[in-house]
Amino acid sequence: KAGVTQTPRYLIKTRGQQVTLSCSPISGHRSVSWYQQTPGQGLQFLFEYFSETQRNKGNFPGRFSGRQFSNSRSEMNVSTLELGDSALYLCASSFPGTYNEQFFGPGTRLTVL
Amino acid sequence: AQRVTQPEKLLSVFKGAPVELKCNYSYSGSPELFWYVQYSRQRLQLLLRHISRESIKGFTADLNKGETSFHLKKPFAQEEDSAMYYCALSGSSNTGKLIFGQGTTLQVKP
């Protein structure tokens, strides 16, 4: 089975721009979770989608949003980028019933200049 | 508040020595606890979960609700165990939300 894929792998943006990151889960997985990883804050939960619905949301401003499509692929969007949004963004997918046994993608490294 | 604390940023041991990576948590209900590991240039992956009560790659972890701890142990460290280890907590089995500790780098010296 192919693993979780994320595109793009690297992104450089400037403050004020917006960005969209994509995540393709493992086939058959319907839950997709997103995390932000920074040296200072570590791994922080952004949100989780299941069957195209956001089920859970972390403590991030409204500039961070996401969605999930009928094929379980998910995107996250960050609008009005700030320098502090520079981070590694990880997505993870899981099989129904094993939502915490998460399979992680390689991440998208976002740099905001 | 839900919180996971890993007090050591770095743990350095010699090959063959016992290893204990500490994890303490704060949660008011009945959490699920996990250990995730990230080897160099690899993805974050699940190592073990307290519900399974299994040993993976020689590692075990016992949930101690009284001390709110979930320490990861291995009796004899191997060089290939060198990696970043994250303890994680979930308050529910029905959502994909994990709360991670800051991680501990395990360095096993030859």
Side-chain angles (χ1 to χ4, degrees), chain A residues 2 19-20 26 28-29 35-36 38 45-46 56 63 66 71 73 75 78-79 81 88-89 95 100 106 109:
Chain A
V19 67
T20 299
I26 292 171
H29 287 193
Y35 296 87
Q36 182 195 65
T38 59
F45 173 79
L46 280 155
N56 219 327
R63 300 184 297 106
N71 62 357
R73 190 177 70 84
E75 289 181 347
V78 188
S79 62
L81 284 165
L88 181 68
Y89 290 89
F95 194 75
N100 298 318
R109 171 74 62 187

Side-chain angles (χ1 to χ4, degrees), chain A residues 1-7 9 22-27 29 37 43 88-93 102-108, chain B residues 35-47 57 82-86 100:
Chain A
K1 259 186 186 176
V4 176
T5 58
Q6 292 186 246
T7 56
R9 293 293 311 279
S22 181
C23 173
S24 292
I26 292 171
S27 177
H29 287 193
Q37 186 174 29
L43 277 154
L88 181 68
Y89 290 89
L90 295 171
C91 83
S93 72
Q102 298 185 8
F103 293 80
F104 282 81
T108 294
Chain B
W35 278 98
Y36 279 79
V37 61
Q38 188 166 30
Y39 300 102
S40 178
R41 288 187 286 278
Q42 292 188 28
R43 305 176 181 202
L44 193 60
Q45 59 186 282
L46 178 66
L47 180 62
K57 298 185 179 184
S82 296
M84 176 73 106
Y85 291 80
Y86 293 94
F100 285 89

Side-chain angles (χ1 to χ4, degrees), chain B residues 24-36:
Chain B
N24 290 91
Y25 67 90
S26 172
Y27 185 74
S28 56
S30 294
E32 286 189 56
L33 274 295
F34 307 83
W35 278 98
Y36 279 79

Side-chain angles (χ1 to χ4, degrees), chain A residues 14-73:
Chain A
T14 56
R15 277 182 302 173
Q17 287 188 307
Q18 77 163 16
V19 67
T20 299
L21 313 181
S22 181
C23 173
S24 292
I26 292 171
S27 177
H29 287 193
R30 291 167 60 190
S31 168
V32 174
S33 301
W34 288 89
Y35 296 87
Q36 182 195 65
Q37 186 174 29
T38 59
Q41 300 298 317
L43 277 154
Q44 292 188 285
F45 173 79
L46 280 155
F47 30 65
E48 186 249 0
Y49 285 85
F50 177 79
S51 292
E52 302 177 65
T53 301
Q54 186 181 88
R55 285 199 303 189
N56 219 327
K57 190 175 188 307
N59 222 10
F60 279 81
R63 300 184 297 106
F64 291 81
S65 63
R67 59 177 176 168
Q68 187 180 35
F69 302 94
S70 58
N71 62 357
S72 295
R73 190 177 70 84

Side-chain angles (χ1 to χ4, degrees), chain B residues 26-98:
Chain B
S26 172
Y27 185 74
S28 56
S30 294
E32 286 189 56
L33 274 295
F34 307 83
W35 278 98
Y36 279 79
V37 61
Q38 188 166 30
Y39 300 102
S40 178
R41 288 187 286 278
Q42 292 188 28
R43 305 176 181 202
L44 193 60
Q45 59 186 282
L46 178 66
L47 180 62
L48 54 79
R49 54 194 302 179
H50 89 269
I51 285 179
S52 304
R53 300 187 64 82
E54 57 193 342
S55 173
I56 304 290
K57 298 185 179 184
F59 285 98
T60 58
D62 288 319
L63 179 61
N64 186 322
K65 292 186 178 180
E67 295 182 0
T68 59
S69 68
F70 188 57
H71 303 328
L72 184 67
K73 299 177 184 179
K74 185 170 183 177
F76 307 104
Q78 303 298 315
E79 289 181 67
E80 54 265 31
D81 297 329
S82 296
M84 176 73 106
Y85 291 80
Y86 293 94
C87 183
L89 172 155
S90 170
S92 165
S93 60
N94 289 328
T95 67
K97 177 181 179 179
L98 289 172

